[in-house]
Amino acid sequence: MRKIKTFIRRVASGSFKRFFRNLNLVHKESGRNRIILFFDMVISMFRYGIGYLDYMTFGFAFIKKDKRRTFMTMDDNIQMCRRMNQKEASDVFENKLIFSKTFTEYLGREYADLNEGFEEFEKFCKGKSNFFAKQPVSFGGLGVKKVTLDGKDLKVVYDDLLENKMFLCEETITQHEDMSKLCDRSVNTIRVCTVVSDSGKAHLIYALLRIGSGKTDVDNVTSGGMYTLLSKDGEFTHPAFCDKTVSYYTEHPHNNFPFIGFKVPYFKEAIELCKKAALVEKRIRYVGWDIAITPNGPVLVEGNSLPGYDMPQNHIFHDDGCGIKSVFEKAIND
C-alpha cells in the first residue's frame, strides 16, 4: 500500500510535459529506445519510489536493477529526517537568526539582528562598504540581497530592509583566492552532510562543491549554479552538473576555468568544523552544512535540517553505479 500511495502521489504532483522532456533527455544521453525507457521509468516510480527527475539524475537507464535499491529516495530522506531530527528544534536551522546565535562560534564574521534596533545596525555598518541581508526564513538563495552602502543614509537602508523582512545582516565573506578562480562573482560553498550516530559520533556522508553561474551573487543550484561531488581529499574529480541547462561541465562556461583536478583549500579543516558543529544541537542529527573557504580557513554559512539526497547520487559521480544508502546505514549504526 505504501508503494501504491507513493506512486499515486508522484503521478499527481508531476508534470506530463516535464516527464516526456526528461524521457527525451534520457533517451538522448543513453541511446535507449523511448518506449522501453517509458515503461522502465513508470515501473521504477512504483517499485523504487522515485520520481522521473530522480530517474534521470540517478542514471537508472545505465544501472542494473540489483543496484537500484542502493539509492536514497525522497521518501528515504524524509524518513531519515523524521528519525534523526526532532521537530521542536527545527527553528534552529529554519530560522537564520536563531541559527546565527546558536552557531556564532563557527560563523567567522559579524552579523546584526535588525529587531534589536537601529543603533545596533549602525554599529554593524561601521567600516563596511557592503554586506548581505537575508530574510530569516528563506531557501534556495531566495530572500538574499547584497547591500552596497556607498554613502547612503543608513536609516533609509535600515527601514527598507525592515519593510522587506530582511532582519539578518551579515558581513560579506571574503573567499579564498583559489575559490574565486571557480567563479569570482559568488562565494562558492561546500555542502557538507553529516550524521550523528546513535552512539553520538559525527560522521561525514558526502561533500559537494557548488559553483556560481557568474550571473548572480549566489551559488545555489536553483539560481543556475553547478555542483560536483568532491573526493575524500576535497578534489574535483568529475564534471559539474547544472540543473538549469541539464548539462555537465569540465570547465566554467563563462570564465573557462578548468574544473578537473581543482583542490578545495582547507578541506580537511572544513570537514572537522562541520563535525564539531554537528554536536552543538543534539536534537538535530542529520544536517547539510554550507561552508565558505576564506583566506584564513573555513567558516559556516548556514545549515539545513532537510539535506538534499539527489545531488550526491548523480550518476556521473559514481563509477560503480551505486547510491549512498549504505553510507547512511553504516554511519548511523556506528
Side-chain angles (χ1 to χ4, degrees):
M1 282 301 297
R2 185 178 66 82
K3 285 187 177 182
I4 294 174
K5 289 179 180 178
T6 299
F7 177 75
I8 293 173
R9 188 169 68 249
R10 291 279 186 274
V11 173
S13 63
S15 161
F16 285 105
K17 182 179 179 180
R18 279 183 287 177
F19 177 94
F20 285 104
R21 171 180 173 269
N22 275 38
L23 176 65
N24 287 327
L25 288 170
V26 174
H27 161 72
K28 184 178 179 181
E29 185 180 14
S30 68
R32 293 185 62 187
N33 181 277
R34 283 188 178 88
I35 296 175
I36 294 174
L37 284 173
F38 172 85
F39 284 106
D40 192 38
M41 289 175 76
V42 172
I43 291 170
S44 294
M45 289 171 68
F46 175 77
R47 179 175 293 172
Y48 305 107
I50 67 168
Y52 50 80
L53 289 174
D54 287 341
Y55 185 95
M56 180 178 71
T57 301
F58 297 168
F60 269 25
F62 307 98
I63 296 172
K64 294 181 180 179
K65 292 178 175 59
D66 60 330
K67 290 188 176 181
R68 292 183 176 186
R69 295 193 184 280
T70 66
F71 285 79
M72 284 278 289
T73 68
M74 182 186 294
D75 284 352
D76 292 330
N77 200 48
I78 291 172
Q79 290 300 320
M80 180 72 67
C81 287
R82 287 174 178 170
R83 174 184 172 182
M84 307 295 285
N85 300 338
Q86 296 179 33
K87 190 175 181 180
E88 59 268 24
S90 60
D91 278 354
V92 175
F93 287 86
E94 292 176 3
N95 188 306
K96 293 179 175 61
L97 275 172
I98 299 175
F99 179 86
S100 295
K101 293 172 183 177
T102 304
F103 295 95
T104 300
E105 178 184 354
Y106 303 100
L107 297 181
R109 62 191 179 281
E110 293 181 26
Y111 68 90
D113 179 357
L114 297 196
N115 295 307
E116 295 179 358
F118 175 69
E119 288 185 2
E120 290 301 314
F121 173 70
E122 196 173 27
K123 289 178 185 177
F124 167 79
C125 291
K126 190 174 182 179
K128 296 180 178 64
S129 60
N130 59 68
F131 61 86
F132 276 85
K134 299 179 179 180
Q135 295 175 350
V137 181
S138 59
F139 305 93
L142 303 175
V144 178
K145 175 184 178 182
K146 187 174 184 179
V147 179
T148 303
L149 294 176
D150 287 335
K152 294 177 182 175
D153 186 322
L154 291 183
K155 188 62 169 64
V156 173
V157 175
Y158 175 77
D159 290 340
D160 180 65
L161 293 175
L162 282 181
E163 185 177 347
N164 288 283
K165 296 180 171 51
M166 292 186 160
F167 303 130
L168 175 62
C169 296
E170 295 182 340
E171 180 182 0
T172 300
I173 294 172
T174 300
Q175 73 176 338
H176 194 286
E177 62 179 357
D178 286 353
M179 299 298 286
S180 289
K181 291 176 183 177
L182 295 167
C183 178
D184 60 6
R185 181 167 177 178
S186 63
V187 175
N188 307 298
T189 59
I190 311 170
R191 166 58 64 87
V192 178
C193 180
T194 60
V195 162
V196 177
S197 68
D198 293 338
S199 64
K201 184 179 178 181
H203 290 269
L204 168 68
I205 302 298
Y206 63 79
L208 290 166
L209 174 60
R210 301 187 301 190
I211 306 158
S213 66
K215 299 178 180 180
T216 67
D217 295 323
V218 295
D219 64 350
N220 301 75
V221 173
T222 52
S223 300
M226 296 160 276
Y227 67 89
T228 192
L229 187 70
L230 292 169
S231 74
K232 63 179 182 179
D233 298 316
E235 186 174 349
F236 212 129
T237 56
H238 292 81
F241 181 71
C242 176
D243 281 347
K244 290 286 186 181
T245 61
V246 199
S247 300
Y248 295 96
Y249 298 92
T250 56
E251 63 181 32
H252 200 288
H254 291 286
N255 63 20
N256 299 318
F257 181 79
F259 288 153
I260 308 300
F262 176 85
K263 289 187 177 181
V264 174
Y266 293 113
F267 181 73
K268 181 179 178 180
E269 291 82 353
I271 301 305
E272 289 305 311
L273 183 153
C274 292
K275 287 183 177 180
K276 290 179 181 178
L279 301 176
V280 172
E281 176 48 79
K282 300 185 185 303
R283 295 172 296 175
I284 304 292
R285 297 165 52 199
Y286 174 32
V287 180
W289 309 95
D290 291 343
I291 302 294
I293 306 297
T294 76
N296 299 315
V299 297
L300 184 56
V301 178
E302 59 186 47
N304 301 268
S305 58
L306 182 59
Y309 67 96
D310 51 345
M311 292 193 295
Q313 297 186 111
N314 192 307
H315 69 93
I316 196 69
F317 307 142
H318 299 282
D319 300 328
D320 61 359
C322 292
I324 60 173
K325 185 183 287 187
S326 63
V327 180
F328 280 92
E329 293 170 349
K330 182 179 178 180
I332 293 170
N333 296 321
D334 180 40

